[in-house]
Amino acid sequence: MSAWTREAIEALGPTTDVPTTAEIFGVDKDTVYAQIRRDQWTATRVLRLGRKIKIPTLDLIGLLYGSAPAAPSPCQHGPSVQVTGHQSQSQCGCTPDVSGVVHQLRGA
C-alpha cells in the first residue's frame, strides 16, 4: 500500500506489527526494530508479547492525524434510581475499570 489513510490504519485492528508500522512511516523495518531494541522508539507505545512486538494503531492514528477516537471510559455516573451500590457495572452498561484490581485466587 503506497498511501496510508486514517481509515486504512483503523482497518488494521487494535494493533499492528513492526513491518507495517515502518511502511506507514516510510522507513525500513530494521530501523524501527533497532530503535525499539535500544529503547529509542518514542513515537508509539511498544507492546512486547513474548517474542512478538505489537504497535497500537490508536497511537499511530493519534500521532499522524491528531486525536485518536476516544476509548470507552469507566463507569463515572453517580448514584441513581437505576443503578444501586450492589449492582454490577455490567447492569448499567458502563465499562468497568479493573486495571488496578487484584483478585485472590481460590485455594490460595
Side-chain angles (χ1 to χ4, degrees):
M1 184 177 279
S2 59
W4 283 91
T5 63
R6 181 183 187 122
E7 292 78 20
I9 297 170
E10 287 173 348
L12 293 172
T15 61
T16 190
D17 57 10
V18 172
T20 304
T21 300
E23 186 178 329
I24 291 168
F25 283 117
V27 298
D28 186 64
K29 67 179 172 138
D30 293 332
T31 302
V32 178
Y33 277 122
Q35 286 188 349
I36 291 171
R37 190 171 39 253
R38 288 179 274 173
D39 290 326
Q40 295 175 339
W41 180 259
T42 59
T44 64
R45 290 174 290 165
V46 175
L47 306 175
R48 296 174 194 265
L49 307 168
R51 293 188 55 144
K52 292 186 180 191
I53 297 173
K54 295 293 185 175
I55 306 295
T57 53
L58 283 179
D59 290 3
L60 295 172
I61 293 166
L63 180 67
L64 297 172
Y65 297 102
S67 65
S73 63
C75 183
Q76 296 178 0
H77 57 73
S80 71
V81 180
Q82 296 175 342
V83 180
T84 62
H86 64 276
Q87 281 182 307
S88 70
Q89 289 176 323
S90 62
Q91 291 174 330
C92 70
C94 293
T95 305
D97 183 17
V98 294
S99 59
V101 176
V102 177
H103 298 282
Q104 184 174 6
L105 297 175
R106 290 185 180 184

